[in-house]
Amino acid sequence: MIGLALGALGVLAFSMSLPATRVAVQQLGPWFVAFGRAVGAALLAWAYLRFTGAPRPTRSQWRRLSIVALGVVVGFPLFTSLALISQTSAHGAVVITVLPAMTAVFAVLRAGERPPLLFWVASAGGLLAVLTFLGASGAVHGALSLADLLLLAAVVLCGLGYAEGGALARELGGARTICWALLLSLPVTVPIMIVAAVAHHPHADAVAWRAFGYLTVVSMFLGFFAWYAGLARGGIAQVGQIQLAQPVLTLVWSALLLGETVTPASIAAALAVLACVVLIQRTRNSAQVPALGRA
């Protein structure tokens, strides 16, 4: 239950990422938002690691941290920032619906997990429930666009980063995993942030800066403390399916932040997703999850 609770806390933190990104990129630009948030979070990570006296990762752990950095520090923030220049966060919620399934696939490929058949059935049910809701709400429209391709690329890289980070968190702990990944990314994130700031001076109103601050402190830093710890404790494929609730939550935040309308069908969708998540958790005992080291 601890893993499930931590995972749910992480999903709650991430559910506001797309609306906040949509707000921030309109004034600050996608490149500054994507890499500036990573640099800011890396400063927090450095302070945390210094305060806790964390030992340095081993050579093999550094290699795995590079995969985490590629997926969640660079790939997902960059591609979603570029996509949300022209697309709404509600539309983005449609595409990231496949993220739990992608995380589960990489949990099999990278973390050696073997979820049972009932797990995949329940996952498919949750995916169908969310897609049905999003389609009925009007979030799905039009043909596949460049923004959709960018969002799909973000989902693939994020699923990889989630699975690799969740597995590595069994050794390093959830907080240290994201902290070391952020520091490892600095040789890439700092130069690009500087170039982006010079090319497009970061001038914005208070709302955009608050959105940027949320992305830096919560989406890029604190959210991963809970998320990776939850994946490590409860199993990447299992806990990862809590993300099925994220698109519905994202639409709620989109309505609050951006004035988008959320239909009454959200209640039915939320209940359907909750039922699928409960069913997924009931498969926990039959799933093969590698032993937890330190989380």
Side-chain angles (χ1 to χ4, degrees):
M1 288 300 295
I2 295 178
L4 177 61
L6 289 169
L9 185 60
V11 166
L12 179 62
F14 296 151
S15 66
M16 201 186 294
S17 295
L18 292 185
T21 300
R22 173 70 173 169
V23 170
V25 298
Q26 300 305 309
Q27 298 183 49
L28 295 172
W31 292 89
F32 180 82
V33 170
F35 292 95
R37 66 192 265 191
V39 172
L43 296 177
L44 297 175
W46 175 82
Y48 175 84
L49 292 172
R50 288 273 295 182
F51 180 77
T52 59
R56 294 177 65 85
T58 64
R59 180 175 300 180
S60 63
Q61 288 171 340
W62 279 120
R63 287 195 294 267
R64 297 170 65 190
L65 282 166
S66 67
I67 297 175
V68 176
L70 173 64
V72 303
V73 178
V74 176
F76 186 81
L78 175 59
F79 287 132
T80 53
S81 294
L82 291 171
L84 292 177
I85 295 176
S86 58
Q87 275 295 358
T88 65
S89 61
H91 188 92
V94 177
V95 183
I96 67 167
T97 303
V98 301
L99 181 54
M102 189 61 61
T103 302
V105 169
F106 281 116
V108 173
L109 296 176
R110 299 294 304 175
E113 296 188 4
R114 296 294 184 269
L117 178 60
L118 182 59
F119 167 89
W120 297 107
V121 173
S123 299
L127 177 62
L128 179 61
V130 174
L131 287 176
T132 300
F133 162 63
L134 292 171
S137 70
V140 181
H141 61 276
L144 193 67
S145 64
L146 175 60
D148 292 318
L149 295 176
L150 290 170
L151 288 167
L152 286 172
V155 165
V156 172
L157 289 173
C158 191
L160 174 60
Y162 280 174
E164 193 69 36
L168 191 54
R170 297 180 184 130
E171 304 171 16
L172 295 177
R176 293 177 181 178
T177 296
I178 188 59
C179 285
W180 286 118
L182 286 164
L183 291 184
L184 180 62
S185 305
L186 281 175
V188 173
T189 56
V190 169
I192 297 179
M193 182 198 70
I194 294 174
V195 170
V198 171
H200 179 77
H201 184 66
H203 178 75
D205 59 24
V207 174
W209 280 118
R210 283 198 296 268
F212 180 79
Y214 183 89
L215 292 171
T216 301
V217 177
V218 180
S219 297
M220 193 82 268
F221 186 62
L222 293 178
F224 279 101
F225 280 41
W227 181 241
Y228 277 152
L231 293 178
R233 288 178 177 274
I236 297 165
Q238 290 273 338
V239 175
Q241 298 309 299
I242 301 174
Q243 295 170 102
L244 285 168
Q246 185 169 329
V248 178
L249 291 172
T250 296
L251 285 185
V252 172
W253 294 126
S254 297
L256 294 176
L257 292 175
L258 308 177
E260 298 176 359
T261 301
V262 178
T263 67
S266 60
I267 299 176
L271 291 176
V273 169
L274 178 61
C276 291
V277 170
V278 170
L279 181 57
I280 287 167
Q281 295 308 311
R282 290 179 68 87
T283 71
R284 178 183 177 87
N285 291 335
S286 57
Q288 297 179 20
V289 179
L292 173 66
R294 175 177 49 182

